Amino acid sequence: MLRGIAIAVLVVGIAGTAFWGYQEHREKTAVLINAENNYQRAFHDLTYQIDLLNDKIGTTLAMNSRSSLSPQLAEVWKITSQAHTDVGQLPLTLLPFNKTEEFLANIGNFSYKAAIRDLDKEPLTEKEYSTLKTLYEQSGEIQQDLRKVQHMVLENNLRWMDVELALATEKGQTDNTIIDGFKTVEKTVESYSETDFGPAQINLQKKDENFKKLPGEMISKEKAVQITKQYTPVKDGGKVKVTENGKGSDYGFFSVSIQNPESKLEASMDITKKGGYPIWFLLDRDVKNQKLSLNDASNKAIAFLKDHNFADLDLFESAQYDNIGVFTFVGTQDGVRIYPDAINMKVALDNGDVIGFSAEDYLKSHKTREIPQAGIDIEEAKKKVNPNLKVMDEKKAIIMNDLNEEVLCYEFTGVLDNDTFRIYINAEDGTEEKVEKLHNAEPVYEDVV
């Protein structure tokens, strides 16, 4: 009888294990399918946006009415912005694609600056028309290159998950059809480097995009693992994997993952090769019970930053999602908030562990700045604010404007009716640079009948 019970228990155990394995497989497959669908959508959206971009630039060349030209140029700017978003959603982090992104940004900046000026008083010059004609031809070439990639993707049923795998490993770096296609696009765009965008061109290398300007010596893979262990409770006895960024990419970083087979905790981190700075960090674990307040968690985040030598930062925003505190810190210098120098953090509200950390913007932008003198005082700037807004707080801040330029502003936080807003007034000329509506606390619907 005991033997029969033991056999029955064993059978149930095997069946349970098989069912658990099947469920795990189903969930993993669902995640992979969802990721693949998102990649496919972003790629085909990008191809469509480039088609549209070429058409819109061509339309501006045929226009004679300045009243029609301004909105058309604004449309070009909007399309380039959307194309940028689509590129950012593709698994191209380890593939050098910065020339194409820079080209799109330059088109956007050129069209935006032309669109917002008074074309009746300051019409497009012959040189600017020549630039538009060149951009039309160049966008047409990019369009054809992307269409070739699209044709191969559809004809051969290629998967973007294979691209992600190829980019993350040495194997397959040179023989992936999609990767080769995007390298062709990048090579095509690289030949456009001499295009004259006139006064509208912006130096997009203001940010240290490749982390080359960071202080410190080059680190080894072993050092990268040591640094990762300083950020995570997953330390000894863990399974360690280190991947170097793809060949040909200018971005210098190591990707490190540490997994503890007993606790099942896994930590992942990207670390700059120069100086060993954390670009981002993620600790994958469930946070089931809240034991700390959001204020307690913010103090944990502040202590964490100090312990890891991140200085001159102010807590800008905090929010709670389930049992996780989410915090944004921005840089400060001489009492001025520096919004480009931003760090985002996630803190578990059960024990105060930092489970998410992103310092990419901070590492690319941070430097000692020369804060310019304001052209107007704060009282003059306040007159530019909607008089119905009740101002609750005011300070100076450096923000990025629509042209990706840093500008000194007066920041006013105030209330209008039941909503809170931040208004940024240019400290040089009083222009209203940006208006942000702050999110109110989400209502709870569980008890609504």
Side-chain angles (χ1 to χ4, degrees):
M1 181 176 177
L2 290 174
R3 185 182 175 189
I5 293 173
I7 291 173
V9 170
L10 184 62
V11 169
V12 171
I14 293 172
T17 302
F19 179 74
W20 175 82
Y22 172 69
Q23 286 290 99
E24 286 284 300
H25 176 72
R26 275 187 59 185
E27 291 175 8
K28 184 177 180 182
T29 301
V31 169
L32 292 175
I33 291 173
N34 183 58
E36 178 65 28
N37 290 341
N38 285 333
Y39 288 152
Q40 291 285 356
R41 176 197 53 74
F43 170 64
H44 293 297
D45 280 354
L46 172 64
T47 306
Y48 169 73
Q49 295 298 339
I50 296 299
D51 284 347
L52 200 59
L53 178 65
N54 182 251
D55 290 344
K56 291 293 182 183
I57 295 175
T59 304
T60 61
L61 291 171
M63 283 184 172
N64 188 43
S65 168
R66 288 166 190 159
S67 61
S68 300
L69 188 57
S70 284
Q72 195 74 5
L73 287 168
E75 190 69 19
V76 170
W77 170 66
K78 188 171 79 172
I79 292 168
T80 58
S81 178
Q82 183 58 53
H84 254 298
T85 301
D86 293 330
V87 170
Q89 292 176 1
L90 292 173
L92 301 176
T93 306
L94 304 181
L95 180 69
F97 208 57
N98 53 305
K99 292 293 181 183
T100 303
E101 293 182 278
E102 184 178 334
F103 178 72
L104 288 171
N106 279 331
I107 294 178
N109 292 330
F110 174 87
S111 57
Y112 182 81
K113 278 199 169 182
I116 62 173
R117 81 184 193 219
D118 190 338
L119 292 178
D120 285 321
K121 295 179 180 177
E122 194 180 352
L124 292 182
T125 64
E126 288 299 320
K127 189 174 182 179
E128 287 172 323
Y129 269 113
S130 177
T131 298
L132 273 175
K133 188 174 181 181
T134 302
L135 293 178
Y136 177 62
E137 294 169 357
Q138 293 172 346
S139 61
E141 291 175 16
I142 297 174
Q143 177 189 42
Q144 292 306 313
D145 286 342
L146 278 176
R147 281 185 173 181
K148 288 176 184 176
V149 179
Q150 186 180 46
H151 173 72
M152 289 186 290
V153 168
L154 294 172
E155 186 175 82
N156 300 312
N157 196 27
L158 301 177
R159 299 191 321 147
W160 278 91
M161 294 304 295
D162 295 334
V163 173
E164 190 169 44
L165 180 63
L167 288 171
T169 60
E170 292 296 323
K171 185 178 179 181
Q173 286 277 348
T174 58
D175 59 358
N176 184 283
T177 303
I178 297 178
I179 293 175
D180 291 343
F182 271 84
K183 284 182 177 177
T184 300
V185 175
E186 181 74 353
K187 190 173 181 180
T188 300
V189 176
E190 197 167 1
S191 66
Y192 304 157
S193 59
E194 298 303 316
T195 303
D196 183 8
F197 288 88
Q201 186 168 11
I202 290 175
N203 179 13
L204 297 178
Q205 302 307 317
K206 285 179 181 177
K207 282 189 175 183
D208 181 11
E209 296 291 353
N210 303 320
F211 309 111
K212 291 178 180 176
K213 297 176 184 177
L214 293 172
E217 302 296 323
M218 301 299 287
I219 66 167
S220 63
K221 288 185 178 181
E222 292 73 21
K223 183 65 175 176
V225 173
Q226 291 177 21
I227 294 170
T228 302
K229 288 182 177 180
Q230 294 172 10
Y231 280 77
T232 172
V234 186
K235 301 185 188 295
D236 299 327
K239 181 181 177 183
V240 179
K241 180 182 177 183
V242 184
T243 306
E244 196 168 352
N245 61 290
K247 289 182 178 179
S249 173
D250 291 330
Y251 287 75
F253 63 88
F254 294 110
S255 293
V256 181
S257 67
I258 303 176
Q259 185 178 40
N260 188 306
E262 294 181 4
S263 65
K264 303 299 183 183
L265 288 178
E266 182 174 0
S268 303
M269 189 178 220
D270 276 2
I271 303 169
T272 63
K273 290 180 180 177
K274 181 146 187 220
Y277 297 93
I279 302 170
W280 63 265
F281 162 75
L282 185 65
L283 178 62
D284 184 16
R285 75 170 178 86
D286 291 332
V287 183
K288 295 181 179 179
N289 300 308
Q290 179 178 348
K291 297 179 181 177
L292 302 176
S293 68
L294 195 62
N295 185 61
D296 292 334
S298 71
N299 290 331
K300 295 277 188 182
I302 292 168
F304 182 91
L305 290 171
K306 288 181 179 178
D307 289 344
H308 292 90
N309 301 316
F310 286 94
D312 300 320
L313 290 162
D314 268 356
L315 178 58
F316 170 56
E317 285 183 334
S318 61
Q320 181 174 341
Y321 298 94
D322 294 327
N323 297 318
I324 295 173
V326 180
F327 305 96
T328 299
F329 293 85
V330 296
T332 62
Q333 182 182 322
D334 301 329
V336 178
R337 273 187 173 170
I338 314 293
Y339 281 103
D341 293 1
I343 290 179
N344 298 297
M345 299 177 66
K346 292 167 68 175
V347 177
L349 297 180
D350 55 0
N351 64 1
D353 276 350
V354 173
I355 59 174
F357 179 88
S358 176
E360 184 172 359
D361 289 339
Y362 179 89
L363 294 176
K364 288 179 177 179
S365 298
H366 183 61
K367 61 184 177 182
T368 301
R369 291 167 169 81
E370 289 187 14
I371 308 293
Q373 290 291 326
I376 61 175
D377 62 30
I378 197 165
E379 292 304 320
E380 290 179 87
K382 194 181 291 187
K383 293 176 182 177
K384 306 289 184 180
V385 175
N386 186 326
N388 295 318
L389 185 84
K390 183 180 179 182
V391 176
M392 311 297 290
D393 187 36
E394 51 192 46
K395 58 175 63 70
K396 282 184 179 179
I398 286 179
I399 67 168
M400 302 297 293
N401 66 9
D402 289 334
L403 296 176
N404 205 36
E405 298 170 319
E406 289 190 359
V407 290
L408 177 66
C409 293
Y410 290 107
E411 174 188 329
F412 298 99
T413 304
V415 177
L416 181 61
D417 296 330
N418 295 318
D419 295 312
T420 305
F421 296 86
R422 283 198 194 97
I423 317 289
Y424 297 93
I425 303 296
N426 189 303
E428 175 62 31
D429 57 18
T431 303
E432 189 176 68
E433 290 285 350
K434 190 177 292 187
V435 177
E436 294 178 349
K437 180 180 179 292
L438 304 190
H439 296 293
N440 297 323
E442 289 289 333
V444 177
Y445 297 103
E446 292 178 355
D447 299 326
V448 176
V449 179

